[in-house]
Amino acid sequence: MKQYNSILLCVFSALCLLSCRNDAPDYPGPDPSESWGTIEDGGSITSIGLYCIEKYNNHIGEIYYEYNPRVKTLKSYTDFYLQLELNGIDKSFQSNDYEEMATVLNLQKNYCLAKSSFMVEEYKKYQKETNSLMEWPLFLTAYVSGEVSITCDKVLFGEEPGTKLNKHFSVNRYYSNFDMFIENAGYSCLPIGIENPKMLYNFGEKIPYDMDEFFVKGTWLQPKYYLQFKYNDTPTERYDDITLTLSFPMIREFVTEYAVAIHRGRGMDAPRLLENVYEAKCKIKFEWE
C-alpha cells in the first residue's frame, strides 16, 4: 500500500509540475533586431592568419589556437581547406572611468548604425519579403584596398613559384565539413564603398565563389573566410610540402579612436583611415598514398 501511495504522489507531483510549466509564459529570448546595424571596429585588426584545416579530422581535444597554426600532414590536395582570419578584433576601448567607457561605446554604436543604415533597410525589406528570421551578417569597418592574391613557393598548376593562383581557389564565408561549401544563405550580402557605401550583392543574391569576384576593391570585410581548391581543379604536381602565401591589402577605419576623440573634444571630422598590406603563410606537408 505504501508503495502504491508513493507512486500516486510521484504522478501527482509530475502533473503539478507540468501544469506550472504550461502556465508559465515562454521566455522569448534576445530580440534579433538588437544586432541589426552592428559593425565591428576594423581599426583593431592587427594581422591576418592563414591556417590549414583538415576536413576529416575533428581534432577533438586540441585547443583551436594550438591546432590552427600547427603544420598538418595530409594525403591529398582535397583533404583540407584554408581558414583566413582577421586577427585583433574586439579590442574595445578601456578606461577606469565607466561612464566614459559607456559614452565612447554609445558614440561608436551610433556611428556604425548610421553607416550601416542602408544595409538595415535592405535587410528589413528582404526579411519582410521572405517572412523569415535571419541572422545579421557581421562586417567590419575594414575594406579591400587592392588585389588579394594567393601564391605558392613551388610550381603549382604549371605556374612558377610566386605566380598568382586565385583562379584555382574558391572563397566563402561559410563552411561545411562535408567536403563542400555551404550554398550562400539567403541573408548573404556584400556591401562596397567607404564614404558612399552601397550593395554590391544584396540580400538573397548569389555571391560568387571566385576570389577575384569576391574580394573586389572597396568591399567590406568580415572576420573569417574559407578557401579551397575549386572542384575538379587540383594540382598535378606532388611535393613533400608546400607553403601558400596570402597577400591582403586593406583599409582600416578607426571607429573607436574616432569616438574617443569626439568624447574628449579633439574635433576629428571623420575616422582615420589607414592602408596596410597584410601577409600570412601556411605550410602544409604531404604523405601521398
Side-chain angles (χ1 to χ4, degrees):
M1 186 68 180
K2 288 182 179 180
Q3 183 179 6
Y4 178 72
N5 288 337
S6 298
I7 294 173
L8 284 177
L9 180 61
C10 290
V11 171
F12 179 74
S13 299
L15 289 173
C16 289
L17 180 60
L18 181 62
S19 175
C20 291
R21 286 181 176 178
N22 288 337
D23 291 340
D26 293 333
Y27 177 64
D31 184 353
S33 66
E34 291 180 0
S35 65
W36 294 0
T38 301
I39 315 175
E40 293 290 345
D41 180 21
S44 63
I45 297 170
T46 55
S47 63
I48 64 171
L50 187 67
Y51 309 112
C52 171
I53 308 297
E54 299 160 284
K55 289 183 180 178
Y56 312 112
N57 178 10
N58 292 324
H59 48 272
I60 296 174
E62 289 193 74
I63 305 172
Y64 76 92
Y65 55 78
E66 293 179 349
Y67 169 80
N68 284 0
R70 180 165 60 80
V71 176
K72 317 302 190 306
T73 301
L74 308 171
K75 298 182 182 299
S76 169
Y77 286 125
T78 60
D79 287 349
F80 73 98
Y81 60 89
L82 297 171
Q83 182 170 296
L84 165 61
E85 292 186 9
L86 308 188
N87 300 322
I89 303 166
D90 293 335
K91 292 185 177 179
S92 56
F93 172 72
Q94 299 294 322
S95 172
N96 293 327
D97 186 337
Y98 293 107
E99 185 176 340
E100 180 182 49
M101 285 178 63
T103 301
V104 169
L105 180 62
N106 194 51
L107 286 169
Q108 180 179 343
K109 179 180 178 181
N110 289 338
Y111 176 84
C112 289
L113 287 175
K115 188 177 185 72
S116 65
S117 59
F118 74 103
M119 281 182 62
V120 173
E121 291 306 311
E122 294 297 334
Y123 185 78
K124 290 179 180 178
K125 187 188 303 182
Y126 183 73
Q127 187 180 50
K128 184 177 180 180
E129 291 173 352
T130 58
N131 193 29
S132 61
L133 185 64
M134 302 173 296
E135 179 185 353
W136 174 258
L138 180 61
F139 285 93
L140 306 162
T141 58
Y143 320 90
V144 177
S145 65
E147 184 180 65
V148 177
S149 64
I150 187 165
T151 60
C152 183
D153 68 329
K154 306 281 198 315
V155 173
L156 220 56
F157 298 101
E159 304 282 2
E160 290 300 313
T163 303
K164 176 182 169 183
L165 300 174
N166 291 24
K167 63 183 180 181
H168 299 288
F169 282 87
S170 296
V171 60
N172 204 338
R173 291 170 293 180
Y174 313 98
Y175 197 84
S176 165
N177 206 27
F178 299 105
D179 199 22
M180 62 181 292
F181 278 128
I182 295 176
E183 288 294 322
N184 282 289
Y187 53 77
S188 296
C189 69
L190 192 55
I192 186 171
I194 301 176
E195 296 181 358
N196 299 298
K198 61 181 182 180
M199 290 295 200
L200 179 61
Y201 294 97
N202 211 334
F203 293 99
E205 294 182 343
K206 182 77 173 179
I207 299 177
Y209 293 125
D210 186 84
M211 280 188 65
D212 289 333
E213 294 181 41
F214 192 100
F215 291 123
V216 177
K217 184 176 180 179
T219 50
W220 294 22
L221 296 176
Q222 292 193 278
K224 188 179 295 184
Y225 300 95
Y226 302 95
L227 294 83
Q228 70 175 14
F229 289 120
K230 289 181 177 179
Y231 182 67
N232 286 337
D233 186 18
T234 53
T236 57
E237 299 88 352
R238 290 189 174 190
Y239 304 101
D240 292 336
D241 63 78
I242 62 172
T243 297
L244 298 170
T245 300
L246 186 74
S247 177
F248 206 117
M250 71 175 73
I251 292 176
R252 295 180 294 144
E253 185 177 10
F254 289 74
V255 177
T256 301
E257 176 188 87
Y258 174 66
V260 172
I262 295 298
H263 171 63
R264 295 179 178 175
R266 294 176 186 167
M268 289 180 67
D269 294 329
R272 179 167 61 104
L273 300 175
L274 183 63
E275 184 172 6
N276 299 91
V277 179
Y278 292 109
E279 186 177 280
K281 295 181 180 293
C282 180
K283 183 176 182 178
I284 307 168
K285 293 183 177 181
F286 294 94
E287 290 181 352
W288 302 98
E289 293 183 332

